[in-house]
Amino acid sequence: MTDPVDIAESLKRMASGSAPDIHGSSVDFAKRTALTMDGAGSRPGVELLAQIFHIVCHGNFPASIQNWYSSNRFVAFHKDYETNPDKLRPIDCGTGLRRIVCGHVNRQNTARFASIMAPSQCAIGVPGGMDMVVHTTMLSLHEYVTRTQEQFSRHQFPTRVQLLLDLEKMFTRVSRKRIRSILAEHFPHLLHLFDLNSGHVTRSYFRTPDGAWNFIEQEEGLAQGCPLSPPLSSLVL
């Protein structure tokens, strides 16, 4: 997980335009800095990141800055502003370094995550993810579940029922203890990283109307904006 070539590839695949953390750092800044070549044609930023990854993933992260690394920033996210402008989703935006580390670790372990959950899931490690599965299913059932008013008047009723379930607040309620036990059994190499991210009471910061920063403490659950939260929550499910 600490090979500079693999880290550079993960950085290239990370989406741009992410929100900055409470300290102003972002994935975009780290990508630009790490992927910039020097006069000799090498990327010293990636080499530095590889050393940081080694420290983080092997449990050698300094305790004095652990709270900084694992802190989150609440960001109000509009999932569908056009149809429902009042519906906000609070996203925990982690530090830029944490998002890069967890994004890379997620990419490195996606196939293994999927193999543990197969064949009962259609999101982790599946091209297109869950959106592709849902949209394909809806299209295939459209003619069976959709009827016009005229068809209803002719007693041509739907012949299928489509049931979609969405777990409420899955990330924020999932058991950290259960996640750790699963990692200990199947992914022991990720225990140090999990303990650094969620093995203690974490803080989520938010800005108050007067411009000051405040925080709430979180003892359970995962940060919704962390790249590792979907696969870890899915493992518990």
Side-chain angles (χ1 to χ4, degrees), residues 9-218:
E9 183 61 29
S10 292
L11 286 172
K12 294 176 184 177
R13 298 188 183 195
M14 291 180 186
S16 300
S18 61
D21 60 27
I22 61 173
H23 310 285
S25 65
S26 67
V27 174
D28 291 354
F29 174 76
K31 285 176 62 176
R32 290 193 302 269
T33 303
L35 296 177
T36 299
M37 290 188 177
D38 60 15
S42 60
R43 293 190 174 107
V46 173
E47 298 290 341
L48 176 60
L49 271 180
Q51 296 179 35
I52 296 175
F53 274 40
H54 186 274
I55 293 173
V56 170
C57 295
H58 289 80
N60 298 320
F61 205 76
S64 58
I65 57 175
Q66 179 172 314
N67 284 335
W68 163 80
Y69 168 85
S70 60
S71 64
N72 299 292
R73 172 192 176 190
F74 270 136
V75 177
F77 174 68
H78 276 294
K79 189 174 183 180
D80 191 356
Y81 183 80
E82 295 297 328
T83 60
N84 196 349
D86 295 326
K87 186 176 181 179
L88 293 175
R89 172 176 292 183
I91 301 295
D92 269 336
C93 177
T95 56
L97 176 59
R98 174 177 173 173
R99 280 179 280 170
I100 289 174
V101 171
C102 293
H104 173 66
V105 171
N106 182 38
R107 173 177 165 264
Q108 292 287 300
N109 291 273
T110 293
R112 176 65 174 154
F113 287 146
S115 68
I116 294 296
M117 293 181 280
S120 59
Q121 65 91 29
C122 303
I124 307 299
V126 177
M130 197 63 201
D131 285 343
M132 183 274 292
V133 176
V134 171
H135 292 158
T136 302
T137 303
M138 292 179 69
L139 288 173
S140 65
L141 293 176
H142 180 77
E143 63 178 300
Y144 301 107
V145 300
T146 304
R147 292 291 185 271
T148 64
Q149 191 63 39
E150 181 180 355
Q151 288 174 313
F152 274 112
S153 66
R154 295 176 181 176
H155 301 285
Q156 296 175 347
F157 301 117
T159 59
R160 305 287 192 279
V161 173
Q162 183 178 18
L163 178 63
L164 300 176
L165 300 178
D166 186 7
L167 296 182
E168 182 184 14
K169 300 179 181 178
M170 177 178 175
F171 290 169
T172 55
R173 293 178 175 176
V174 67
S175 168
R176 293 182 178 183
K177 182 178 180 180
R178 179 59 180 148
I179 293 174
R180 200 180 191 285
S181 67
I182 294 174
L183 292 179
E185 181 179 356
H186 299 286
F187 303 91
H189 61 290
L190 298 183
L191 283 175
H192 287 309
L193 179 60
F194 178 75
D195 287 342
L196 178 60
N197 290 342
S198 306
H200 55 97
V201 177
T202 52
R203 292 180 175 181
S204 292
Y205 289 83
F206 60 93
R207 193 184 291 274
T208 57
D210 62 0
W213 285 99
N214 204 341
F215 66 87
I216 60 174
E217 293 186 333
Q218 183 177 357

